[in-house]
Amino acid sequence: MTETKKPLFAYPRLCIAYFCEFAIWAAWAGALSVYASEVLKLTGSQVSWLYSAIPLGAIIGPMLIGPLADRYFAAQKVMSVLHLIGGICLLACGYLCFSRQATFPVLMVLMMLSGICYMPTMGLINNVVFKNLSKPSLGPYVFVFGTFGWIVSCLLIAAFLGGEKSHNFFFVGGGFSLFLALYCLTLPHTPPKGADANSKQNFIVSALGLDAFKLFKDPMFALFAVCVFFASIPACGFYFVVQTPYLSQMGYPSPVALGTLNQISELFFMTALPSLVLLVGLKSVLVLGMLAWTLRYIFFALPGYGIAPDYDFAFSVIGLLFHGFSYSFLYAAAYMYAERKAPENLKASVQSMMVFLLLGVGQYLGAQIYAPIAQYAQKESGQPKVFDVLVAASQVEAKDKDGKVVPLTSEISVPIPAWSVKDDSFLQYLDLAGQVKKLFGVKDDGNVRNCDLGKLLGDKPLSNEAVAALDESRMIQDGVKIASPNDSKQELTLTIKYTKADIEELGKKLSGTDTFSLDRKAYFAAKAQDWKTIFTIPSAFIGIFFLIFLLFGKGIKEDN
């Protein structure tokens, strides 16, 4: 029997495809939550629904598309069509945001279509990889390029394209998707296996892996699947919604770029996973994965409990670096255990079931729980958070796209002043856009005024005395973009003239007293959500199933 000849240069060709595959997801995963809430002014519930696009795609996509690719069409051609449609959807989202025509219903439909098209390509590209490499064991060396793609996409957006406050991330995701749509046509031919006599009967069953549910007759497998599924609910689906808002509200510059520490740690832990499985066993790795998710949320919550307040940034970094630990040891190890446990005729179905449960239902529920947890946290804190300050129309000059002054007849909500980090602070190096400008000698336009409390106050805290000493001629902000209060599709450019009274009123609201003194950290903390509660609840939830799996999973065997 002759060995099937593998295509030329298969490895580098597949690496490029995997790089683009995850660059698409990364483009919007980190930035969308802040942009949707702060720029589009969507509610927490609406943001959660937007983040449900990918998991809903994992639920719907395999049922509609998976069997077609598996039986009738070459995988690389199906991927090309899906990425073409998905890319157009993301570009449409970017255009609607750019033209101020974006509404939640339209964005939700487009993101849903994008998710339905994107999610099946995850399984398809894995199929192409394994069928065209000389050895299946080389797969992880291709998969690691997906992590590189995620990192590069986030850094590109953070450094050059406006970060999470700009709609450009949609164009980045759409651009990668359209490129991959064309590039897929150059990938090695991966033909379908063809329809069998029972294909009609098995069409839906095999797509969702429903035939794999017979493994639940084994009590130990049922315990594994249930614990891993419930632990996955407050994991990635929830985390992707809260990551960037948390980092932003903590006052860290360039939160999208900072979030790439997740993937940097993933490079290490994913590489170490096979060796650790051999060393301690797969069950122990799964237990460590659940524990890791519990611990990372605890680290994120620690600043809110007032524990070692000077080390809040260190705690946040540790929580970010836990991502590789928690993701690899829970998700990847779960797929490995399911592969070992499944009989040969059910291996594909079992993997489909795991994707359906973890990346589909689990991530969907995780995205949905953010809004009620955030509402509960705000109710428990008893203190409404201040993100904007109302400024009288006489203190704001508005111009339309032609530069014509538009009269404002009522008060409008405008952003509160920024507070940048000190030039001698190590946090300045997190501001990738600012560092790139310094590197290339790009100076800000001297005609554009920027009201920055960090520049106005120097080393002083924001206090009644400091406000009294402010120079109002320097308290002017140019270039603020808002939707017209009379026509939401029209964009206005504001020049805001803050007064001492505005800043004093803001200080009183943030401190809750008439006499206040707030440094930069206290300024951000006072206007942030109650992250202590938001992270403690999912940490405790995962901890429950960690204990259940630890105590009752003693009979779990790691091989057939």
Side-chain angles (χ1 to χ4, degrees):
M1 182 177 178
T2 59
E3 184 178 349
T4 303
K5 186 178 180 181
K6 297 300 179 183
L8 291 174
F9 307 111
Y11 175 70
R13 293 160 68 188
L14 296 170
C15 289
I16 294 172
Y18 226 82
F19 179 97
C20 295
E21 179 77 18
F22 280 85
I24 296 167
W25 192 352
W28 63 266
L32 179 59
S33 54
V34 170
Y35 182 82
S37 59
E38 296 190 15
V39 179
L40 299 181
K41 305 299 182 184
L42 300 184
T43 66
S45 177
Q46 290 172 331
V47 173
S48 294
W49 273 106
L50 291 178
Y51 271 84
S52 298
I54 283 291
L56 284 173
I59 296 171
I60 301 172
M63 180 174 61
L64 298 178
I65 298 165
L68 294 175
D70 207 25
R71 288 172 164 79
Y72 305 112
F73 302 102
Q76 78 279 3
K77 293 181 180 179
V78 177
M79 286 175 59
S80 177
V81 173
L82 294 177
H83 280 304
L84 175 63
I85 299 173
I88 292 173
C89 290
L90 291 177
L91 292 178
C93 289
Y95 173 76
L96 290 173
C97 292
F98 166 76
S99 60
R100 307 296 299 189
Q101 300 179 64
T103 62
F104 169 70
V106 176
L107 285 181
M108 186 63 211
V109 170
L110 289 172
M111 291 300 294
M112 179 77 73
L113 288 174
S114 173
I116 291 173
C117 290
Y118 176 82
M119 210 59 203
T121 66
M122 300 283 284
L124 291 172
I125 196 171
N126 287 341
N127 185 34
V128 173
V129 167
F130 283 120
K131 285 191 176 181
N132 291 285
L133 287 178
S134 58
K135 296 179 182 178
S137 59
L138 294 176
Y141 297 106
V142 175
F143 301 156
V144 74
F145 277 84
T147 305
F148 283 125
W150 191 292
I151 294 172
V152 170
S153 183
C154 289
L155 294 182
L156 175 67
I157 293 166
F160 300 101
L161 297 171
E164 70 281 1
K165 298 295 181 67
S166 170
H167 57 267
N168 287 328
F169 62 86
F170 280 124
F171 294 129
V172 173
F176 271 116
S177 191
L178 293 186
F179 171 80
L180 189 52
L182 294 174
Y183 184 75
C184 283
L185 298 177
T186 71
L187 292 176
H189 180 57
T190 309
K193 66 182 181 182
D196 56 33
N198 297 320
S199 61
K200 184 176 181 180
Q201 176 183 352
N202 295 333
F203 192 87
I204 302 301
V205 172
S206 61
L208 298 180
L210 297 180
D211 48 351
F213 277 88
K214 64 181 64 175
L215 288 179
F216 277 75
K217 294 178 181 178
D218 179 349
M220 288 299 101
F221 182 86
L223 176 67
F224 149 76
V226 168
C227 287
V228 169
F229 166 68
F230 279 103
S232 75
I233 293 175
C236 284
F238 174 80
Y239 176 68
F240 284 144
V241 180
V242 303
Q243 170 195 295
T244 304
Y246 166 74
L247 297 174
S248 177
Q249 291 180 27
M250 290 294 288
Y252 307 141
S254 197
V256 172
L258 184 59
T260 60
L261 288 177
N262 293 321
Q263 284 65 49
I264 292 173
S265 70
E266 189 179 311
L267 293 174
F268 171 78
F269 284 104
M270 192 69 78
T271 304
L273 179 60
S275 299
L276 196 63
V277 168
L278 291 175
L279 183 64
V280 302
L282 195 50
K283 178 202 164 187
S284 297
V285 169
L286 283 166
V287 170
L288 289 173
M290 295 183 195
L291 178 62
W293 278 103
T294 301
L295 292 177
R296 82 178 307 201
Y297 284 157
I298 289 175
F299 276 110
F300 286 141
L302 284 178
Y305 284 103
I307 298 174
D310 293 337
Y311 295 92
D312 61 301
F313 181 71
F315 291 145
S316 298
V317 168
I318 292 172
L320 290 170
L321 292 176
F322 255 91
H323 181 79
F325 187 180
S326 53
Y327 177 82
S328 302
F329 286 21
L330 181 63
Y331 285 84
Y335 300 143
M336 292 173 67
Y337 175 78
E339 173 71 14
R340 290 187 181 186
K341 189 67 178 175
E344 192 64 34
N345 65 318
L346 288 179
K347 287 188 181 295
S349 293
V350 169
Q351 290 299 327
S352 295
M353 179 187 70
M354 296 305 295
V355 170
F356 173 75
L357 290 176
L358 302 187
L359 296 185
V361 180
Q363 285 209 58
Y364 166 76
L365 294 176
Q368 290 296 314
I369 65 174
Y370 163 69
I373 289 178
Q375 291 172 1
Y376 171 79
Q378 182 173 346
K379 181 179 178 181
E380 287 297 301
S381 67
Q383 181 180 356
K385 298 304 177 183
V386 181
F387 297 98
D388 301 297
V389 57
L390 290 177
V391 178
S394 61
Q395 297 168 326
V396 179
E397 181 182 77
K399 295 182 179 179
D400 60 20
K401 62 180 180 179
D402 299 320
K404 181 180 178 181
V405 176
V406 177
L408 297 173
T409 58
S410 61
E411 291 186 335
I412 59 173
S413 181
V414 298
I416 64 177
W419 192 328
S420 62
V421 298
K422 298 178 182 178
D423 291 337
D424 60 350
S425 170
F426 72 92
L427 289 177
Q428 67 172 309
Y429 298 107
L430 297 179
D431 181 8
L432 292 193
Q435 294 303 311
V436 167
K437 288 181 179 179
K438 288 182 180 179
L439 180 63
F440 291 99
V442 177
K443 296 182 178 179
D444 292 329
D445 188 349
N447 295 323
V448 176
R449 293 163 293 188
N450 180 24
C451 182
D452 186 325
L453 292 178
K455 299 289 192 301
L456 291 172
L457 298 172
D459 294 328
K460 299 177 181 178
L462 178 64
S463 63
N464 303 83
E465 294 77 12
V467 170
L470 290 177
D471 180 359
E472 289 190 347
S473 66
R474 298 176 58 198
M475 296 164 54
I476 300 176
Q477 180 71 48
D478 290 319
V480 175
K481 307 289 186 181
I482 68 164
S484 170
N486 301 321
D487 181 2
S488 60
K489 294 183 179 180
Q490 182 184 13
E491 184 178 67
L492 300 180
T493 302
L494 305 182
T495 294
I496 306 167
K497 298 178 181 179
Y498 296 100
T499 66
K500 295 180 182 181
D502 294 329
I503 307 303
E504 185 170 24
E505 183 63 23
L506 174 62
K508 291 178 180 179
K509 287 183 178 180
L510 293 176
S511 64
T513 62
D514 290 339
T515 303
F516 55 90
S517 181
L518 302 168
D519 60 14
R520 184 178 184 275
K521 183 182 295 186
Y523 180 80
F524 278 92
K527 64 189 185 71
Q529 298 179 79
D530 181 11
W531 292 110
K532 174 186 67 176
T533 303
I534 291 174
F535 283 121
T536 299
I537 292 175
S539 177
F541 185 85
I542 298 175
I544 291 172
F545 290 94
F546 157 72
L547 292 175
I548 293 174
F549 192 69
L550 180 65
L551 295 175
F552 298 101
K554 297 179 180 180
I556 287 182
K557 296 180 180 180
E558 299 182 7
D559 50 33
N560 294 323

